[in-house]
Amino acid sequence: MMRAVLFSALLIMSGTQTNAADEAWKTDPTAFIHHFAQAGIDDILTADIDTVEKTARFRTLFNQGFDIPAISRFVIGRTWRRTSDSDKEAFIALFEDVIVYTWSRRFNEYTGQTIKVLGTSPDGKTGTLVDSVIVDDAGQTISAQWRLRQREEGLRIVDIIIEGVSMSITYRQDYASVIRQQGGMTGLLDLLGKQVVENAPS
Amino acid sequence: MTVFLKSPSLLKHAVASTLAVFVLSACASKPPATDMEAVRAYEQNNDPLEPWNRSMMQIDQGLDTIFFNPVISVYQTVVPEPGRRGVTNAIRNFRTPITLANDIFQGEGSRASTTFSRFLINSTIGLFGLFDVAGRWGLPYHSEDLGQTLAVWGVGEGPYLYFPILGPSGGRDITGYAVDNLGIDAMAWVGRADNPFWWQVAYFGGLAIDAKSNAKSTLEELEASSIDYYAALRTAYRQNRAKEIRNGAPAPLPEFDDFDDEDGDPFSRLETETESAQTAALPK
C-alpha cells in the first residue's frame, strides 16, 4: 500500500518542465493529476538515470507538488503553536528528507502502474478532492484520493488517502505518540534526524 | 481460534497468562484529569491496554523473524507472483461463506448476489477458485466479516487489541473474527467431523502465511516511514477498517479546512472531529 502511495505520488508529481505552453494543470485538479502522472513516469520512474539523480529529481518534484509547510503543521498538530521557529524549520526540513528517502527506496519496483481519475469533489473552502484508482499490470486496482489546495503558485497536494489510509493522519498519530513519549519536539527531532541518516542513500 | 478450542490446555494456558498480565497491570495509566490534552489523546487512542499490546506486537515480530519471514521468503522464491495470487484467490473462494453470510446480515442484497455468483463461477470455470474469472467478468471481489456487520449494526469498535499472528484488531473485530471462524467458516464444520488437530493448524498456518505474504511489503514500508511503528499501524488499521465498513465509500471530510490555518494551530477547534470523521463507521 505504501508502495502504491509512492508510485502514485511519483506518477503525479513529475515534470513541470513539460508542456509549459499548456498551463491549465496549474488550476484544474484533474489536469494537475494527469499532467504530473505522465511526466512522473517519464522523468523519474522510467528515466534512464541512477538512483541518486532520481532522488534529487524527486525532491524537486515533491516540493513542487506538495504543500510541505501545511502538511508539517498538520502532522505536528497542537504542539506546533508551542514550537520555536527554529524547531519548526528543522522539522520541515527533516520531514521532507524522511519522505524523500523512504519513498526513494522503491523507485526500482515500478511495474507499469497507471492512474485513472474517477472524479473530483469540493474539499474545504478552497480545496478539491480528486478520486482515482491506481491500476497495475494485472488489472488490480487500489483506491487513491488526493486532497489538493489552490495556492498562489498553483495547486498543491496536502494529503494522499490510499485504501482509506491518510498519509497525513498516519504521520500525525505516529508523531503525536513520539512527542508524548519524548516529552516534546526536541525528542522527535532527534529521532527524525536518526531516521534520515538511516534511510539516506549511501 | 479454532486451534485454541480444540486444545483445552492451550486455551487454559492462554487465559491464565492473559489474566496474569492483567493482574500485573499492563493497563496504560490514564493521565490526570487536569492534563486535558493528555486525557483527550488517551481517549482518542482508545488503547487502554497499550503496554500489553506493544508487547504482543513484539512477540508477533519475533515470530515473524524466527518463523514467518523465512517461510515467506521461501514461498515467494519458489512460487512466482501469479501462483501466489492463485493461492489467495482459492483461499478467498473457500472462505466465501463468511462474506456471503455477512453481506446478508448487513442487508446488502446485490453484494450478496455478487458474492454468490463469484463463488459459482470461480469454483467451476475458475478451477476451485484458483482463477478469479468472475473478477474479470465485472464481479469484483469484496470481503465482509462479522466485525464489519457489527459496526453497521452500530456496535462501537471497542479497545484496540494486538494479537500475535493475527495482528491489529479491536474488541469488536476480534469477536467477529472468532464467530466467523468458529461458526461460519467451512473449516469450522469440517473440524467438527473429527478431523485431526494438525489439519487446523495447517489451515490457519496457511491463512497466516498468505495474509502475511500479501501484507509484507506494505508493512515494511510503513515501518520504514514511521518512528513509532506501533502508533502508525494502529491508526492505519483503523482507517482501513473504517473504509471497509463504509464498503469503500470515501471518508467524510471535515467541513473546516485543516490545512489552511496559517497561524499554526488548525486543530484547536475540532481536532477530534477530524479523526472521528475519518474513522467513523457510516452505516448506510
Side-chain angles (χ1 to χ4, degrees), chain A residues 1-3 70 73-74 77-78 80-82 102 105-106 123 126 138 140 143 145 147 149 151 158 163-166 169-174 177-178 180-181 188 192 195 199, chain B residues 37 40-41 44-45 54 85 217-218 220-222 224-228 231-232 235-236 239-240 243 250 253-255 257-262 264-265 267-268 271 274-275 278:
Chain A
M1 188 169 63
M2 295 304 280
R3 221 176 346 166
R73 288 197 300 276
F74 183 86
R78 42 195 30 257
W80 191 257
R81 92 187 106 135
R82 294 194 289 266
T102 51
R105 298 169 356 134
R106 301 286 188 173
D123 175 13
T126 64
Q140 309 261 15
S143 105
Q145 291 156 321
R147 299 183 74 182
R149 294 290 178 271
R151 304 297 190 216
V158 292
E163 287 295 324
V165 180
S166 146
I169 289 179
T170 303
Y171 275 117
R172 185 141 85 111
Q173 295 287 356
D174 178 9
S177 176
V178 174
R180 202 157 44 242
Q181 288 166 42
L188 174 63
L192 281 172
Q195 190 188 17
N199 285 311
Chain B
E37 273 184 34
R40 185 141 69 143
Q44 200 179 315
N45 287 340
R54 281 185 186 270
R85 199 179 311 140
S217 72
T218 299
E220 281 173 353
E221 206 54 37
L222 184 64
S225 66
S226 60
I227 295 180
D228 185 350
T235 183
Q239 293 177 60
N240 182 251
K243 180 177 187 290
L253 297 168
E255 284 180 13
D257 194 331
D258 37 26
F259 288 98
D260 258 355
D261 201 328
E262 295 294 334
D265 185 18
F267 316 102
S268 54
E271 182 176 46
T274 319
E275 260 131 33
Q278 288 284 352

Coordinates of all heavy atoms in Angstrom, one line a residue, chain A residues 1-3 70 73-74 77-78 80-82 102 105-106 123 126 138 140 143 145 147 149 151 158 163-166 169-174 177-178 180-181 188 192 195 199, chain B residues 37 40-41 44-45 54 85 217-218 220-222 224-228 231-232 235-236 239-240 243 250 253-255 257-262 264-265 267-268 271 274-275 278:
Chain A
M1 N 0.8 -1.2 0.0 CA 0.0 0.0 0.0 C 0.9 1.3 0.0 O 0.6 2.2 -0.8 CB -0.9 0.0 1.2 CG -1.9 1.1 1.3 SD -3.1 0.7 2.6 CE -2.0 0.9 4.0
M2 N 1.9 1.3 0.9 CA 2.8 2.4 0.9 C 3.5 2.5 -0.4 O 3.8 3.6 -0.9 CB 3.7 2.4 2.1 CG 3.1 2.5 3.4 SD 2.0 3.9 3.6 CE 3.3 5.2 4.0
R3 N 3.8 1.4 -1.0 CA 4.4 1.4 -2.3 C 3.5 2.0 -3.3 O 3.9 2.8 -4.2 CB 4.8 0.0 -2.7 CG 6.1 -0.1 -3.4 CD 6.5 -1.5 -3.7 NE 5.7 -2.6 -3.1 CZ 5.8 -3.8 -3.5 NH1 6.6 -4.1 -4.5 NH2 5.1 -4.7 -2.9
A70 N 2.3 23.2 5.1 CA 1.0 23.0 5.6 C 0.8 21.5 6.1 O 0.2 21.3 7.2 CB -0.1 23.2 4.5
R73 N 2.5 21.4 9.6 CA 1.7 21.9 10.7 C 0.6 20.9 11.0 O 0.4 20.6 12.2 CB 0.9 23.2 10.2 CG 1.8 24.4 10.1 CD 0.9 25.7 10.1 NE 0.0 25.7 9.0 CZ 0.3 26.1 7.7 NH1 1.5 26.5 7.5 NH2 -0.7 26.1 6.8
F74 N 0.1 20.2 10.0 CA -1.0 19.3 10.3 C -0.4 18.1 11.1 O -1.0 17.6 12.0 CB -1.6 18.8 9.0 CG -2.7 17.8 9.2 CD1 -4.0 18.3 9.4 CD2 -2.5 16.4 9.2 CE1 -5.1 17.4 9.6 CE2 -3.5 15.6 9.4 CZ -4.8 16.0 9.6
G77 N 0.3 19.0 14.6 CA -0.9 19.2 15.4 C -0.8 20.3 16.4 O -0.1 21.3 16.2
R78 N -1.4 20.1 17.6 CA -1.4 21.2 18.6 C -0.1 21.5 19.2 O 0.0 22.6 19.8 CB -2.5 20.8 19.6 CG -2.4 19.4 20.1 CD -3.6 19.0 20.9 NE -4.9 19.6 20.6 CZ -5.4 20.5 21.3 NH1 -4.8 21.0 22.4 NH2 -6.6 21.0 20.9
W80 N 2.4 22.4 17.5 CA 3.0 23.3 16.6 C 3.1 24.7 17.2 O 4.1 25.4 17.1 CB 2.2 23.3 15.3 CG 2.9 24.1 14.2 CD1 2.6 25.4 13.7 CD2 4.0 23.6 13.4 NE1 3.4 25.7 12.7 CE2 4.3 24.7 12.4 CE3 4.8 22.5 13.3 CZ2 5.4 24.6 11.5 CZ3 5.8 22.4 12.4 CH2 6.1 23.4 11.5
R81 N 2.0 25.1 17.9 CA 1.9 26.5 18.3 C 2.9 26.7 19.5 O 3.2 27.9 19.8 CB 0.5 26.9 18.7 CG 0.1 26.6 20.2 CD -1.4 26.8 20.4 NE -2.0 25.5 20.6 CZ -2.8 25.2 21.6 NH1 -3.2 26.1 22.4 NH2 -3.3 24.0 21.7
R82 N 3.4 25.7 20.1 CA 4.3 25.8 21.2 C 5.8 25.6 20.7 O 6.7 25.6 21.5 CB 4.1 24.7 22.3 CG 2.8 24.9 23.0 CD 2.8 24.0 24.3 NE 2.7 22.6 23.9 CZ 1.5 21.9 23.9 NH1 0.4 22.5 24.2 NH2 1.5 20.6 23.6
T102 N 12.5 7.7 2.3 CA 11.8 6.4 2.4 C 11.1 6.1 1.1 O 11.1 4.9 0.7 CB 10.8 6.4 3.6 OG1 10.0 7.6 3.4 CG2 11.5 6.4 4.9
R105 N 13.5 4.6 -1.8 CA 13.9 3.2 -1.8 C 13.2 2.3 -2.7 O 13.6 1.2 -3.0 CB 13.8 2.7 -0.3 CG 14.6 3.4 0.7 CD 14.3 3.1 2.1 NE 13.2 2.2 2.4 CZ 13.3 1.2 3.2 NH1 14.4 0.9 3.9 NH2 12.2 0.5 3.4
R106 N 12.0 2.7 -3.2 CA 11.2 1.9 -4.0 C 11.2 2.2 -5.5 O 10.4 1.7 -6.2 CB 9.8 1.9 -3.5 CG 9.6 1.4 -2.0 CD 9.8 -0.1 -1.9 NE 9.5 -0.5 -0.6 CZ 9.4 -1.8 -0.2 NH1 9.6 -2.7 -1.1 NH2 9.2 -2.2 1.0
D123 N -13.4 20.2 -1.3 CA -12.8 19.8 0.0 C -12.4 21.1 0.7 O -11.4 21.7 0.3 CB -11.6 18.9 -0.4 CG -10.8 18.5 0.9 OD1 -11.3 18.7 2.0 OD2 -9.7 18.0 0.7
T126 N -11.2 26.0 -0.2 CA -10.6 26.3 -1.5 C -10.0 25.0 -2.1 O -9.4 25.0 -3.1 CB -9.4 27.2 -1.3 OG1 -8.4 26.5 -0.4 CG2 -9.8 28.5 -0.6
A138 N -1.8 -6.3 -13.7 CA -2.7 -7.5 -13.6 C -4.2 -7.0 -13.6 O -5.1 -7.8 -13.4 CB -2.4 -8.3 -12.4
Q140 N -5.4 -5.2 -11.2 CA -5.9 -4.9 -9.8 C -5.9 -3.4 -9.5 O -5.0 -2.7 -10.0 CB -4.9 -5.6 -8.8 CG -4.6 -7.1 -9.1 CD -5.4 -8.0 -8.3 OE1 -6.4 -7.6 -7.6 NE2 -5.0 -9.3 -8.3
S143 N -7.5 2.1 -4.4 CA -8.1 3.4 -4.4 C -7.2 4.5 -3.9 O -6.4 4.2 -2.9 CB -9.4 3.4 -3.6 OG -9.2 4.0 -2.3
Q145 N -7.0 8.8 -3.1 CA -7.6 10.1 -3.2 C -6.6 11.2 -2.8 O -5.8 10.9 -2.0 CB -8.8 10.2 -2.2 CG -10.0 9.3 -2.6 CD -10.8 8.9 -1.5 OE1 -10.4 8.6 -0.4 NE2 -12.1 8.9 -1.7
R147 N -6.0 15.1 -1.7 CA -6.5 16.4 -1.3 C -5.7 17.5 -1.8 O -4.5 17.6 -1.4 CB -6.6 16.4 0.3 CG -7.5 15.3 0.8 CD -7.7 15.3 2.3 NE -8.5 16.4 2.7 CZ -8.8 16.7 4.0 NH1 -8.2 16.0 4.9 NH2 -9.6 17.7 4.3
R149 N -5.0 21.7 -2.7 CA -5.3 23.1 -2.3 C -4.7 24.1 -3.3 O -3.6 23.9 -3.8 CB -4.6 23.5 -0.9 CG -5.2 22.7 0.3 CD -6.6 23.1 0.6 NE -7.2 22.4 1.7 CZ -7.8 21.2 1.5 NH1 -8.0 20.7 0.3 NH2 -8.3 20.6 2.6
R151 N -2.9 27.2 -4.2 CA -2.0 28.2 -3.6 C -1.7 29.2 -4.7 O -2.0 29.0 -5.9 CB -0.8 27.5 -3.1 CG -1.0 26.4 -2.1 CD -1.7 26.9 -0.8 NE -1.7 25.9 0.2 CZ -2.6 25.7 1.1 NH1 -3.7 26.5 1.1 NH2 -2.6 24.8 2.0
V158 N -2.0 18.2 -0.3 CA -1.8 18.2 1.2 C -2.0 16.9 1.8 O -1.6 16.7 3.0 CB -2.7 19.3 1.9 CG1 -2.3 20.7 1.5 CG2 -4.2 19.1 1.5
E163 N -6.5 3.5 0.0 CA -7.3 2.5 0.6 C -7.8 2.9 2.0 O -7.8 2.2 2.9 CB -6.6 1.1 0.7 CG -6.4 0.4 -0.6 CD -7.7 0.0 -1.2 OE1 -8.6 -0.4 -0.5 OE2 -7.8 0.0 -2.5
G164 N -8.2 4.2 2.0 CA -8.8 4.7 3.3 C -7.8 5.3 4.3 O -8.1 5.9 5.2
V165 N -6.5 5.0 4.0 CA -5.5 5.4 5.0 C -4.8 6.7 4.5 O -4.2 6.8 3.5 CB -4.4 4.3 5.1 CG1 -3.3 4.7 6.2 CG2 -5.0 3.0 5.6
S166 N -5.0 7.7 5.4 CA -4.5 9.1 5.1 C -3.0 9.1 5.5 O -2.7 8.8 6.6 CB -5.3 10.1 5.8 OG -4.5 11.2 6.2
I169 N -2.7 11.9 8.3 CA -3.2 11.4 9.7 C -2.3 10.4 10.3 O -2.1 10.4 11.5 CB -4.7 10.9 9.5 CG1 -5.6 12.1 9.3 CG2 -5.1 10.2 10.8 CD1 -7.1 11.8 9.1
T170 N -1.8 9.5 9.4 CA -0.9 8.4 9.9 C 0.4 9.0 10.5 O 0.8 8.6 11.6 CB -0.6 7.4 8.8 OG1 -1.9 6.9 8.3 CG2 0.2 6.2 9.3
Y171 N 1.0 10.0 9.8 CA 2.2 10.6 10.3 C 1.8 11.4 11.6 O 2.6 11.4 12.6 CB 2.8 11.6 9.3 CG 3.7 11.0 8.3 CD1 3.5 11.0 7.0 CD2 4.9 10.4 8.8 CE1 4.3 10.4 6.1 CE2 5.8 9.8 7.9 CZ 5.5 9.8 6.6 OH 6.4 9.2 5.7
R172 N 0.6 12.0 11.6 CA 0.2 12.8 12.8 C 0.1 11.9 14.0 O 0.6 12.3 15.1 CB -1.1 13.5 12.5 CG -1.5 14.4 13.7 CD -2.1 15.7 13.1 NE -3.5 15.5 12.9 CZ -4.4 16.1 13.6 NH1 -4.1 16.8 14.6 NH2 -5.7 15.9 13.3
Q173 N -0.5 10.7 13.9 CA -0.6 9.8 15.0 C 0.7 9.3 15.5 O 1.0 9.1 16.7 CB -1.6 8.7 14.7 CG -3.0 9.1 14.4 CD -3.8 9.5 15.7 OE1 -3.2 9.4 16.8 NE2 -5.0 10.0 15.5
D174 N 1.5 9.0 14.5 CA 2.9 8.5 14.8 C 3.6 9.5 15.6 O 4.2 9.3 16.7 CB 3.6 8.2 13.4 CG 5.0 7.8 13.5 OD1 5.5 7.5 14.6 OD2 5.7 7.7 12.5
S177 N 2.4 10.3 19.2 CA 2.9 9.3 20.1 C 4.3 9.5 20.5 O 4.7 9.4 21.7 CB 2.7 7.9 19.5 OG 3.2 6.9 20.4
V178 N 5.2 9.9 19.5 CA 6.6 10.1 19.8 C 6.8 11.3 20.7 O 7.5 11.3 21.7 CB 7.4 10.3 18.5 CG1 8.8 10.7 18.8 CG2 7.3 9.0 17.7
R180 N 4.7 12.6 22.8 CA 4.2 12.2 24.1 C 5.3 11.5 24.9 O 5.6 11.8 26.0 CB 2.9 11.4 24.0 CG 2.0 11.5 25.3 CD 0.6 11.2 25.0 NE 0.4 10.1 24.1 CZ -0.2 10.2 22.9 NH1 -0.7 11.4 22.4 NH2 -0.4 9.1 22.1
Q181 N 5.8 10.5 24.2 CA 6.8 9.6 24.9 C 8.1 10.4 25.2 O 8.8 10.2 26.2 CB 7.2 8.4 24.1 CG 6.1 7.4 24.0 CD 6.4 6.4 22.9 OE1 7.5 5.9 22.7 NE2 5.3 6.0 22.2
L188 N 11.5 14.3 19.2 CA 11.0 13.9 17.9 C 12.1 14.3 16.9 O 12.4 13.5 16.0 CB 9.7 14.6 17.6 CG 9.2 14.4 16.1 CD1 8.9 12.9 15.8 CD2 7.9 15.2 15.8
L192 N 13.9 11.9 14.3 CA 13.8 12.1 12.8 C 15.2 12.2 12.2 O 15.5 11.6 11.1 CB 13.0 13.3 12.5 CG 11.5 13.2 12.6 CD1 10.9 14.6 12.5 CD2 10.9 12.3 11.6
Q195 N 16.5 8.8 11.8 CA 15.8 8.1 10.7 C 16.3 8.5 9.4 O 16.5 7.7 8.5 CB 14.3 8.4 10.9 CG 13.5 7.5 9.9 CD 12.0 7.9 9.9 OE1 11.6 9.0 10.4 NE2 11.1 7.0 9.5
N199 N 18.1 6.2 6.4 CA 17.5 6.0 5.2 C 18.1 6.7 4.0 O 17.8 6.5 2.8 CB 16.0 6.4 5.2 CG 15.1 5.4 6.0 OD1 15.2 4.2 5.7 ND2 14.4 5.9 6.9
Chain B
E37 N -5.3 17.9 27.5 CA -4.8 17.4 26.2 C -4.4 15.9 26.3 O -4.7 15.2 25.4 CB -3.5 18.2 25.8 CG -3.8 19.5 25.1 CD -2.6 20.2 24.6 OE1 -1.6 19.5 24.3 OE2 -2.6 21.4 24.6
R40 N -7.4 13.8 26.4 CA -8.1 13.7 25.1 C -7.3 12.7 24.2 O -7.9 11.9 23.5 CB -8.1 15.1 24.5 CG -8.9 15.1 23.2 CD -9.7 16.3 23.0 NE -8.9 17.5 22.8 CZ -9.3 18.5 22.0 NH1 -10.4 18.4 21.3 NH2 -8.5 19.5 21.8
A41 N -6.0 12.8 24.2 CA -5.2 11.9 23.4 C -5.4 10.5 23.8 O -5.6 9.6 23.0 CB -3.7 12.3 23.5
Q44 N -8.8 9.3 22.7 CA -8.9 9.2 21.2 C -8.1 7.9 20.8 O -8.5 7.3 19.8 CB -8.2 10.4 20.6 CG -8.5 10.7 19.2 CD -7.8 11.9 18.7 OE1 -7.8 13.0 19.4 NE2 -7.2 11.9 17.5
N45 N -7.0 7.6 21.4 CA -6.3 6.4 21.1 C -7.1 5.2 21.4 O -6.9 4.1 20.7 CB -5.0 6.3 21.8 CG -4.0 7.3 21.3 OD1 -4.1 7.8 20.1 ND2 -3.0 7.7 22.1
R54 N 1.7 -3.5 22.9 CA 3.0 -3.3 22.4 C 3.9 -4.6 22.6 O 4.6 -5.0 21.7 CB 3.7 -2.1 23.1 CG 3.3 -0.8 22.5 CD 4.1 0.3 23.1 NE 3.6 1.6 22.7 CZ 4.0 2.3 21.7 NH1 4.9 1.8 20.9 NH2 3.4 3.5 21.4
R85 N -1.0 -15.4 -6.3 CA -2.3 -14.8 -6.4 C -3.3 -15.9 -6.5 O -4.4 -15.8 -6.0 CB -2.3 -13.9 -7.7 CG -3.5 -12.9 -7.7 CD -3.5 -12.0 -8.9 NE -2.2 -11.4 -9.1 CZ -1.7 -11.3 -10.4 NH1 -2.3 -11.7 -11.4 NH2 -0.5 -10.8 -10.5
S217 N 5.2 -6.2 2.1 CA 5.9 -5.0 1.6 C 5.2 -3.7 2.1 O 5.9 -2.7 2.4 CB 6.0 -5.0 0.1 OG 4.8 -4.8 -0.5
T218 N 3.9 -3.8 2.2 CA 3.2 -2.6 2.8 C 3.6 -2.3 4.2 O 3.9 -1.1 4.5 CB 1.7 -2.9 2.8 OG1 1.3 -3.1 1.4 CG2 0.9 -1.7 3.3
E220 N 6.3 -3.3 5.7 CA 7.8 -2.8 5.8 C 7.9 -1.4 5.4 O 8.7 -0.6 6.0 CB 8.6 -3.7 4.8 CG 8.9 -5.0 5.3 CD 9.6 -5.9 4.3 OE1 9.7 -5.5 3.1 OE2 10.0 -7.0 4.7
E221 N 7.1 -0.9 4.5 CA 7.1 0.5 4.1 C 6.6 1.4 5.2 O 7.2 2.4 5.5 CB 6.2 0.6 2.8 CG 6.6 1.7 1.9 CD 8.0 1.7 1.5 OE1 8.6 0.6 1.2 OE2 8.6 2.8 1.4
L222 N 5.5 0.9 5.8 CA 5.0 1.7 7.0 C 6.0 1.8 8.1 O 6.2 2.8 8.7 CB 3.7 1.1 7.5 CG 3.0 1.8 8.6 CD1 2.5 3.2 8.1 CD2 1.8 1.0 9.1
A224 N 9.3 1.6 7.8 CA 10.4 2.4 7.4 C 10.1 3.9 7.5 O 10.9 4.7 7.8 CB 10.9 2.0 6.0
S225 N 8.8 4.2 7.2 CA 8.5 5.6 7.1 C 8.1 6.2 8.5 O 7.9 7.4 8.6 CB 7.3 5.8 6.1 OG 6.2 5.2 6.6
S226 N 7.8 5.3 9.5 CA 7.4 5.8 10.8 C 8.5 5.8 11.8 O 9.5 5.1 11.6 CB 6.2 4.9 11.2 OG 6.6 3.6 11.4
I227 N 8.3 6.5 12.9 CA 9.2 6.4 14.0 C 8.6 5.4 15.1 O 9.2 4.5 15.5 CB 9.5 7.7 14.7 CG1 10.2 8.6 13.6 CG2 10.3 7.6 15.9 CD1 10.5 10.0 14.1
D228 N 7.3 5.7 15.5 CA 6.6 4.8 16.4 C 5.7 3.9 15.5 O 4.5 4.2 15.3 CB 5.8 5.6 17.4 CG 5.2 4.7 18.4 OD1 5.2 3.4 18.2 OD2 4.7 5.2 19.4
A231 N 2.2 3.0 16.8 CA 1.2 4.1 16.7 C 0.7 4.2 15.2 O -0.5 4.5 15.0 CB 1.7 5.4 17.3
A232 N 1.7 4.2 14.3 CA 1.3 4.3 12.9 C 0.4 3.2 12.4 O -0.6 3.4 11.7 CB 2.6 4.4 12.0
T235 N -3.3 3.5 13.8 CA -4.2 4.4 13.0 C -4.4 3.9 11.6 O -5.5 4.0 11.1 CB -3.7 5.8 13.0 OG1 -4.7 6.7 12.4 CG2 -2.3 6.0 12.4
A236 N -3.4 3.3 11.0 CA -3.6 2.8 9.6 C -4.6 1.7 9.6 O -5.5 1.6 8.7 CB -2.3 2.3 9.0
Q239 N -8.1 3.3 10.1 CA -8.6 4.0 8.9 C -9.0 3.0 7.8 O -10.0 3.2 7.1 CB -7.5 4.9 8.4 CG -7.2 6.1 9.3 CD -6.1 6.9 8.8 OE1 -6.2 7.5 7.7 NE2 -4.9 7.0 9.5
N240 N -8.2 2.0 7.6 CA -8.5 1.0 6.6 C -9.8 0.2 6.9 O -10.6 0.0 6.1 CB -7.3 0.0 6.4 CG -7.5 -1.0 5.3 OD1 -7.7 -2.2 5.6 ND2 -7.6 -0.6 4.1
K243 N -12.8 2.2 6.2 CA -13.1 2.2 4.7 C -13.8 0.9 4.4 O -14.8 0.9 3.6 CB -11.8 2.4 3.9 CG -12.1 2.3 2.4 CD -10.9 2.6 1.6 CE -11.2 2.7 0.2 NZ -11.6 1.5 -0.5
P250 N -15.9 7.0 0.1 CA -14.8 7.9 0.6 C -15.2 8.4 2.0 O -16.4 8.5 2.4 CB -14.8 9.1 -0.4 CG -15.7 8.8 -1.5 CD -16.5 7.6 -1.1
L253 N -15.2 14.2 4.7 CA -14.1 15.2 5.0 C -14.7 16.2 6.0 O -15.8 16.6 5.9 CB -13.6 15.8 3.7 CG -12.9 14.8 2.8 CD1 -12.7 15.4 1.4 CD2 -11.6 14.3 3.3
P254 N -13.8 16.7 6.8 CA -14.3 17.8 7.8 C -14.7 19.0 7.0 O -14.1 19.3 5.9 CB -13.1 18.0 8.7 CG -11.9 17.5 7.9 CD -12.4 16.4 7.0
E255 N -15.6 19.8 7.5 CA -16.1 21.0 6.8 C -15.0 22.1 6.9 O -14.9 22.9 5.9 CB -17.4 21.5 7.4 CG -18.6 20.6 7.0 CD -19.8 21.1 7.6 OE1 -19.9 22.2 8.1 OE2 -20.8 20.3 7.5
D257 N -11.2 23.7 7.1 CA -10.0 23.4 6.3 C -8.8 23.3 7.2 O -8.2 24.2 7.6 CB -9.8 24.4 5.2 CG -8.7 23.9 4.2 OD1 -7.9 23.1 4.6 OD2 -8.8 24.3 3.1
D258 N -8.4 22.0 7.5 CA -7.4 21.8 8.5 C -6.0 22.0 7.9 O -5.0 21.8 8.5 CB -7.5 20.4 9.1 CG -8.0 19.4 8.1 OD1 -7.8 19.6 6.9 OD2 -8.6 18.5 8.6
F259 N -5.9 22.3 6.6 CA -4.6 22.5 6.0 C -4.4 24.0 5.7 O -3.4 24.4 5.1 CB -4.4 21.7 4.7 CG -4.3 20.3 5.0 CD1 -5.3 19.4 4.9 CD2 -3.0 19.8 5.4 CE1 -5.2 18.1 5.1 CE2 -2.9 18.4 5.6 CZ -4.0 17.6 5.5
D260 N -5.3 24.9 6.1 CA -5.2 26.3 5.6 C -5.1 27.3 6.7 O -5.1 28.5 6.5 CB -6.5 26.6 4.8 CG -6.2 26.6 3.4 OD1 -5.1 26.4 3.0 OD2 -7.2 26.7 2.6
D261 N -4.9 26.8 8.0 CA -4.8 27.8 9.0 C -3.3 28.2 9.2 O -2.5 27.5 9.7 CB -5.3 27.1 10.3 CG -5.7 28.2 11.3 OD1 -5.0 29.2 11.3 OD2 -6.6 27.9 12.1
E262 N -3.1 29.5 8.8 CA -1.7 29.9 8.7 C -1.1 30.2 10.1 O 0.1 30.4 10.3 CB -1.6 31.2 7.8 CG -1.9 30.9 6.4 CD -0.9 30.0 5.7 OE1 0.2 30.0 6.1 OE2 -1.3 29.4 4.7
G264 N -0.9 28.4 12.5 CA -0.2 27.3 13.1 C -0.9 26.4 14.1 O -0.4 25.6 14.7
D265 N -2.2 26.7 14.2 CA -3.0 25.8 15.1 C -4.3 25.5 14.5 O -5.3 26.0 14.9 CB -3.2 26.5 16.5 CG -3.9 25.6 17.4 OD1 -3.9 24.4 17.2 OD2 -4.4 26.0 18.5
F267 N -5.9 23.0 14.7 CA -6.5 21.8 15.3 C -7.2 22.1 16.6 O -7.9 21.3 17.2 CB -5.5 20.8 15.6 CG -4.6 20.6 14.4 CD1 -3.3 21.2 14.4 CD2 -5.1 20.0 13.3 CE1 -2.6 21.1 13.3 CE2 -4.3 19.9 12.2 CZ -3.0 20.5 12.1
S268 N -7.0 23.3 17.2 CA -7.6 23.6 18.5 C -9.1 23.5 18.5 O -9.7 23.1 19.5 CB -7.2 25.0 19.0 OG -7.5 25.9 18.0
E271 N -10.3 19.2 16.7 CA -9.3 18.1 16.4 C -10.0 16.8 16.4 O -9.8 16.0 15.5 CB -8.2 18.2 17.4 CG -7.2 17.1 17.1 CD -6.0 17.1 18.1 OE1 -6.3 17.3 19.3 OE2 -4.9 17.0 17.6
T274 N -12.0 15.7 13.3 CA -11.3 15.3 12.1 C -11.1 13.8 12.0 O -11.4 13.2 11.1 CB -9.9 16.0 12.0 OG1 -10.0 17.3 12.5 CG2 -9.3 15.9 10.6
E275 N -10.6 13.3 13.1 CA -10.2 11.9 13.1 C -11.5 11.1 13.2 O -11.6 10.0 12.6 CB -9.2 11.6 14.2 CG -7.9 11.5 13.7 CD -6.9 12.3 14.4 OE1 -7.1 12.4 15.7 OE2 -5.9 12.8 13.9
Q278 N -12.8 10.7 9.9 CA -12.1 9.8 9.1 C -12.3 8.4 9.4 O -12.3 7.5 8.6 CB -10.6 10.1 9.2 CG -10.1 11.4 8.6 CD -10.1 11.3 7.1 OE1 -10.2 10.2 6.5 NE2 -9.9 12.5 6.4

